[in-house]
């Protein structure tokens, strides 16, 4: 399993958010370096964001969710064209699950398991 996993649930529809582009970045001083990305599957997940066994160094990371793509595909006007979640990981190699609960006019996140 990838060290960092995510999924998106559209809480208005009560369904996973499919085909949402996600990009993972690492903070590098005042800049962000792209690590990897992909698009959510039918379950709203991006299963192979990182290769199995790949362990990121401690640091600050950002997941960019291109939510406008999802809203446009559903003929819906969303208030947030994207959501950036910035989080910090330690050097222990622990698993981090970053879920996004999404509606057209709000979102929430938490550290999942």
């Amino acid at each position: 399993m990838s060290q960092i996993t995510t999924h998106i649930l559209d809480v208005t529809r009560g369904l996973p958010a499919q085909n949402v582009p996600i990009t993972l970045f690492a903070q590098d001083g005042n800049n962000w370096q792209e690590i990897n990305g992909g698009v959510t599957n039918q379950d709203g997940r991006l299963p192979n964001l990182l290769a199995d066994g790949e362990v990121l160094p401690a640091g600050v990371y950002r997941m960019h969710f291109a939510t406008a793509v999802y809203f446009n595909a559903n003929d819906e006007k969303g208030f947030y064209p994207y959501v950036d979640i910035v989080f910090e990981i330690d050097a222990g190699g622990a698993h981090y699950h970053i879920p996004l609960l999404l509606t057209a006019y709000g979102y929430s996140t938490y550290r999942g398991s």
Side-chain angles (χ1 to χ4, degrees):
M1 174 187 334
S2 175
Q3 181 188 15
I4 297 177
T5 57
T6 187
H7 76 275
I8 308 173
L9 296 175
D10 181 332
V11 295
T12 300
R13 289 183 172 83
L15 297 170
Q18 300 179 36
N19 301 314
V20 179
I22 299 173
T23 309
L24 177 64
F25 296 89
Q27 189 175 40
D28 182 15
N30 291 325
N31 299 311
W32 292 97
Q33 297 290 87
E34 183 175 335
I35 296 175
N36 204 1
V39 177
T40 57
N41 63 17
Q42 71 279 359
D43 196 31
R45 297 178 185 276
L46 182 54
N48 296 311
L49 183 58
L50 298 173
D52 286 348
E54 181 178 357
V55 176
L56 296 174
V60 177
Y61 293 85
R62 174 172 53 108
M63 291 188 77
H64 177 84
F65 299 82
T67 54
V69 172
Y70 175 75
F71 293 128
N72 291 339
N74 287 291
D75 294 321
E76 185 173 8
K77 176 67 177 147
F79 185 67
Y80 300 100
Y82 65 88
V83 174
D84 281 345
I85 300 174
V86 178
F87 57 98
E88 187 170 11
I89 67 173
D90 62 29
H95 174 251
Y96 294 86
H97 184 63
I98 315 294
L100 178 64
L101 304 176
L102 184 63
T103 73
Y105 293 96
Y107 65 88
S108 66
T109 187
Y110 55 94
R111 179 172 178 190
S113 59

